[in-house]
Amino acid sequence: MTELFPAPIGEALPHRRTWRLLHGRGRYVGDVKIPGMLHATVVRSPHAHARIEAIDTASAKALPGVAAVFTGADIATVCRLWRGVHGLFPALNAPLQHALAIDTARFAGEPVALVVATSRAVAEDAAALITIDWTPLPAVADPQVARDGSDVIHPAFGTNVCLVQSHASGDVDAAFAAAGVVAEETFRFGRHTGVPIEPRGLIAEFDPTERRLTVHHSHQCPHQMQNDFAVLLGLAEHRVRVIAPDIGGGFGIKQQLYGDEIAVCAAAMLLGRPVAWTADRLESFTADIHAREHVVHGRVALSAEGDILAFDVDDLHAIGPYSQFPRSSAGEGRAVVAQTGAPYKFGAIRARATAVFQNKGMSGHYRGVGQPIACAVTEVLIDHAARKAGLDPIAVRRRNFLRGTDLPYAAPTGVTYARLAFEECFAALDAHLDVAALQTECAAARAKGRLRGLGLACFVEMTARGSGFYGAGGVAVSSRDGCTLRLEPTGGIRALSSITEQGQGAETGVLQVIAASVGVPLDAVEMITGDTATSFHGGGTWGSRCMAIGGEAAWRAGRALRTEILDIAARLLQADAAALDIRDGAVVEAATGAVRFTLAEIGVIAHFRPHEVPGAQPQLVASASYGSEAPFRPGCGLQLAVVEIDPDSGKVRLDRFVVVHECGLVVNPLLVDEQIRGGVVQGLGAALFEELLYDADGQLLNGSLADYLVPTAPELCDIELLHAHGPASGDDDLGIAGVGEAGTTGASAAVLCAVNDALSARRVTLAQIPCTPERILAALGVIRTRPDAARSGAPASITSDSPRG
């Protein structure tokens, strides 16, 4: 199948998963067959907030085929409690969490009991026989009510506030006083979740003779989970093995600890038998990590000429009943504080982010982690201010974006940007289309009564974080990755990498880097990832880092292996190693290309006849580990949306979407393009469709794919994608920035700006996503929604004020 991989670094390749399937080397949790395996199901709280008075499990235990029924107290005999703390935020209120709730359930869907049986069907039948006596408690669903604190979820804290993060720089009040125009808005962002095609799941196997736990886990960060399982289950870390095979999507929701998953591991320990569990789709909607329930009040100060002077932002962020573990729930609010105004030069900012507890599902890290919120607030405020000043919103962006001459730029937010490429991005956009003509076309359509609009969003994506956030905060999340390469006697290369594959194509990209660094064909490299027993300790997949961090480690290991191979060849030939090269899997004379050895010949000599290599002890193994010395690596870009709104139905039609992106070296254009497009689609889902709706009692109302809307092909247009190329920089050899969250970061902002451009014909605005037909019609005055509907996330109560808009 070598014809599948003709491309060197910088050219397109098919997805690594395709290669694996063609070669029959797929490794999936569903393929794992373990003798004597039991199956678990989770009993979950039907109440958003209730005290557990008693649990009767007798009938469930008596059902034939049931191996055990575990309550929270049972699991607690082998599993410690935990808190989602972070050393950089000592004021963070982090309540204790149990694998299974013991005294009180604090969200509908919280695990309360675990049934283990010979089949999932038997386990579910037994679960239905469990009787729980509940005493319902007041539920706090609305984030603003939670902040007011009339009903406190965790009495020990005396407040529902988890964390307040504040930052101020420059004279904000003076900037607003001197402004030619001040624009302000209150934004509301709908809660949503990742919806990976493969739900969460694992198989836990425990060997009591060695106290060894092996977990086949659908997870993004196997080494993190190795540490978490070891610490919480009282095991030696080297006796915990986590195998995370190619998984069907994660998007951040599979990068933390879940109580139901560690309860399955505890059950395997207590029973001494393997236990398997996979979430069904309803469990996924209620118990997977949610994200982005924010209410943000923002202001921007603009001079009469169009200079951005200052931002003032107050973010209220609802996180569910606990701080997520191990990363804490500081991330989304931190991104809003740190990245408001990120693409632009301005003088002052005042920002505050308040995270509050509530009786809804857990909220945490999802693709972009707060960056889409900061981007949308920034871009819509700039649009509002520009229109209020009578200026072209895109011209205001062109006037204020950060240029190469500004870099490195210490932003008022406290973030320093070493490299950005907005000049190159705007140049690429202008070469692709006439933005002014497109604006004129939309304006002409509005003059004829059509609701047509154009929105442009500039964005910065923070990728490949260094250790200054988690490491400095005492959180056991690695910012490094490693790679070991071994030349086999056959001339093939076995690669062991700490990255993980979740469908993004990271294995393919790293394989290309290895092949290019050594000088071998792509099919000469065998990649092994996602196994804590074989690879370096590493971070796995999170924060757009696999290629920027794992790829750099692979490159360095490849260059080291190449050096040793050439040294062995030079000794055999009694030649200068500098006169030799490795090309297409053979040692050649650099000047003429004449083949002197194949790598198979080098492998045979070094492994079996090392006496022929005078003065050397061949290793043919090279390892490297790499973590960025910088706090993060910025990628940047532009997203442009053209929409048209049907004034009768309120439906938003997406007519055009253009992305310009800069991410340093592009190893595999095909994978980069589709990563960005995939991120854009998830951002469009947030902008137009996706929202987890709860009632005032904290009950999820749309926990199925029939009611929770995700974008599909008919709702989308072509996503036009352009690459800009900025100046190289960094502390590494390759100069790669991540791309995993770029599409998501700017998509909602571009759509919301386009919707407001379209609505400008009626002199109304919208500051809430998703931009549902109900909300569009309410903005147009066609229908009236219940005043608190937007705040609570509950469905609108619709009354008709007029037959048409």
Side-chain angles (χ1 to χ4, degrees):
M1 302 300 295
T2 55
E3 67 273 14
L4 289 177
F5 303 96
I9 194 167
E11 299 182 22
L13 278 179
H15 196 293
R16 176 69 170 168
R17 183 185 294 274
T18 304
W19 178 80
R20 281 202 142 150
L21 292 176
L22 287 169
H23 283 69
R25 299 181 186 178
R27 296 175 289 130
Y28 303 94
V29 169
D31 294 338
V32 178
K33 303 297 183 185
I34 301 176
M37 187 162 67
L38 299 170
H39 298 267
T41 194
V42 181
V43 178
R44 299 182 183 276
S45 171
H47 301 281
H49 196 195
R51 190 163 53 247
I52 303 168
E53 303 293 356
I55 303 178
D56 185 352
T57 63
S59 297
K61 289 178 178 178
L63 191 69
V66 172
V69 179
F70 297 107
T71 65
D74 299 323
I75 297 299
T77 62
V78 295
C79 182
R80 298 171 182 169
L81 309 185
W82 62 88
R83 298 179 189 269
V85 298
H86 195 302
L88 296 183
F89 305 98
L92 186 152
N93 289 324
L96 280 172
Q97 299 178 53
H98 302 264
L100 304 177
I102 294 180
D103 301 315
T104 306
R106 292 183 173 87
F107 69 94
E110 184 168 4
V112 175
L114 188 76
V115 181
V116 182
T118 53
S119 72
R120 177 68 176 255
V122 171
E124 290 185 353
D125 288 344
L129 300 175
I130 295 175
T131 302
I132 304 177
D133 292 336
W134 299 96
T135 298
L137 300 170
V140 180
D142 178 87
Q144 290 167 304
V145 171
R147 181 167 59 181
D148 294 342
S150 55
D151 292 308
V152 177
I153 295 172
H154 301 286
F157 296 134
T159 178
N160 288 323
V161 173
C162 171
L163 176 67
V164 177
Q165 302 177 63
S166 299
H167 178 82
S169 178
D171 194 335
V172 175
D173 293 331
F176 276 91
V181 167
V182 173
E184 65 182 298
E185 186 65 87
T186 298
F187 300 84
R188 291 183 170 88
F189 297 88
R191 170 183 282 245
H192 49 282
T193 188
V195 199
I197 193 170
E198 177 189 76
R200 291 187 296 115
L202 72 162
I203 300 172
E205 182 181 13
F206 184 68
D207 180 354
T209 62
E210 296 186 344
R211 290 191 59 78
R212 185 181 301 278
L213 177 68
T214 301
V215 184
H216 297 264
H217 201 182
S218 182
H219 203 277
Q220 298 170 223
C221 309
H223 282 101
Q224 171 197 302
M225 295 312 300
Q226 179 187 38
N227 176 265
D228 292 347
F229 289 149
V231 170
L232 296 177
L233 295 172
L235 300 171
E237 186 165 339
H238 67 279
R239 295 192 184 276
V240 177
R241 180 183 184 185
V242 178
I243 303 168
D246 296 356
I247 66 174
F251 312 121
I253 70 162
K254 296 179 182 176
Q255 68 171 26
Q256 51 270 311
L257 178 82
Y258 286 88
D260 46 27
E261 294 179 357
I262 198 167
V264 170
C265 296
M269 293 177 63
L270 289 166
L271 293 171
R273 292 178 64 180
V275 180
W277 173 77
T278 301
D280 62 31
R281 190 57 69 181
L282 176 59
E283 287 181 293
S284 294
F285 277 114
T286 56
D288 283 1
I289 286 293
H290 301 165
R292 297 186 188 142
E293 184 176 3
H294 290 249
V295 180
V296 185
H297 182 74
R299 297 192 302 155
V300 65
L302 197 71
S303 74
E305 298 75 25
D307 294 319
I308 300 173
L309 304 178
F311 287 95
D312 188 358
V313 175
D314 188 355
D315 171 41
L316 176 62
H317 171 208
I319 65 166
Y322 304 104
S323 175
Q324 69 157 338
F325 183 84
R327 295 164 188 263
S328 86
S329 292
E332 285 204 357
R334 179 175 180 268
V336 174
V337 171
Q339 286 195 261
T340 295
Y344 305 107
K345 191 172 184 178
F346 59 97
I349 188 169
R350 180 166 51 224
R352 182 175 69 170
T354 305
V356 294
F357 298 120
Q358 58 175 175
N359 295 118
K360 292 183 183 178
M362 290 281 291
S363 183
H365 291 179
Y366 169 58
R367 196 172 194 172
V369 193
Q371 297 178 96
I373 307 294
C375 183
V377 169
T378 299
E379 298 303 303
V380 173
L381 284 176
I382 288 174
D383 272 5
H384 286 357
R387 290 193 179 96
K388 194 172 179 180
L391 301 172
D392 174 12
I394 296 180
V396 171
R397 288 171 171 82
R398 292 181 188 270
R399 180 183 180 95
N400 287 278
F401 71 76
L402 290 167
R403 289 163 169 79
T405 53
D406 299 318
L407 304 176
Y409 178 69
T413 56
V415 177
T416 297
Y417 298 101
R419 65 179 301 275
L420 292 169
F422 283 111
E423 290 167 293
E424 293 83 355
C425 288
F426 272 103
L429 180 68
D430 291 335
H432 180 67
L433 58 84
D434 187 334
V435 178
L438 201 54
Q439 288 178 286
T440 300
E441 175 202 317
C442 291
R446 290 195 296 273
K448 295 177 181 179
R450 294 163 59 191
L451 301 183
R452 188 167 177 82
L454 180 151
L456 180 72
C458 303
F459 68 91
V460 175
E461 179 196 9
M462 289 184 173
T463 83
R465 288 190 180 277
S467 62
F469 183 66
Y470 289 124
V475 179
V477 171
S478 177
S479 63
R480 301 182 67 82
D481 272 299
C483 182
T484 296
L485 303 180
R486 187 173 75 220
L487 181 68
E488 305 288 2
T490 59
I493 294 175
R494 188 175 300 274
L496 310 173
S497 173
S498 63
I499 68 162
T500 56
E501 177 63 61
Q502 57 172 328
Q504 79 277 45
E507 285 188 359
T508 300
V510 172
L511 182 147
Q512 282 183 264
V513 168
I514 292 167
S517 65
V518 180
V520 299
L522 291 157
D523 61 356
V525 184
E526 165 68 2
M527 284 284 295
I528 298 174
T529 63
D531 188 342
T532 60
T534 61
S535 71
F536 265 87
H537 195 290
T541 295
W542 59 272
S544 301
R545 62 184 306 283
C546 277
M547 286 304 300
I549 304 299
E552 178 67 23
W555 174 266
R556 295 183 178 194
R559 299 308 281 178
L561 180 60
R562 178 183 182 278
T563 296
E564 187 187 5
I565 292 169
L566 290 177
D567 178 69
I568 292 170
R571 290 173 183 273
L572 292 169
L573 295 170
Q574 297 183 9
D576 183 359
L580 302 174
D581 196 4
I582 303 176
R583 300 174 190 169
D584 199 28
V587 176
V588 302
E589 294 178 359
T592 66
V595 174
R596 303 305 304 268
F597 291 105
T598 67
L599 290 195
E601 290 171 328
I602 294 289
V604 167
I605 292 170
H607 282 287
F608 306 129
R609 304 198 306 270
H611 63 279
E612 296 181 9
V613 188
Q617 289 291 330
Q619 304 296 312
L620 294 182
V621 175
S623 297
S625 179
Y626 175 75
S628 177
E629 296 177 10
F632 64 93
R633 260 191 219 155
C636 68
L638 316 172
Q639 297 193 28
L640 181 148
V642 177
V643 305
E644 184 147 349
I645 299 172
D646 182 342
D648 294 319
S649 68
K651 184 177 180 180
V652 178
R653 187 185 72 223
L654 189 65
D655 285 347
R656 192 166 187 184
F657 204 93
V658 182
V659 181
V660 187
H661 189 249
E662 198 283 330
C663 60
L665 174 68
V666 175
V667 173
N668 187 309
L670 177 63
L671 291 176
V672 169
D673 288 359
E674 300 319 309
Q675 267 287 288
I676 294 173
R677 287 192 174 97
V680 166
V681 169
Q682 285 189 291
L684 295 176
L688 296 173
F689 306 106
E690 297 184 45
E691 184 172 16
L692 290 162
L693 298 171
Y694 282 80
D695 66 16
D697 295 321
Q699 292 293 329
L700 181 65
L701 302 176
N702 59 335
S704 77
L705 288 171
D707 301 306
Y708 181 92
L709 304 181
V710 296
T712 59
E715 289 85 49
L716 303 174
C717 64
D718 250 359
I719 298 170
E720 304 165 50
L721 185 56
L722 313 170
H723 288 290
H725 301 284
S729 67
D731 59 359
D732 62 341
D733 295 327
L734 296 179
I736 298 172
V739 300
E741 295 154 301
T744 309
T745 298
S748 294
V751 169
L752 191 53
C753 287
V755 165
N756 278 315
D757 192 38
L759 292 176
S760 66
R762 304 289 181 90
R763 294 182 174 84
V764 297
T765 61
L766 186 66
Q768 185 170 8
I769 64 169
C771 303
T772 62
E774 287 178 357
R775 289 167 182 157
I776 295 288
L777 293 176
L780 290 171
V782 176
I783 63 172
R784 184 171 63 250
T785 62
R786 191 175 68 242
D788 66 342
R791 189 173 70 241
S792 69
S797 173
I798 302 173
T799 59
S800 189
D801 282 348
S802 61
R804 301 181 61 138

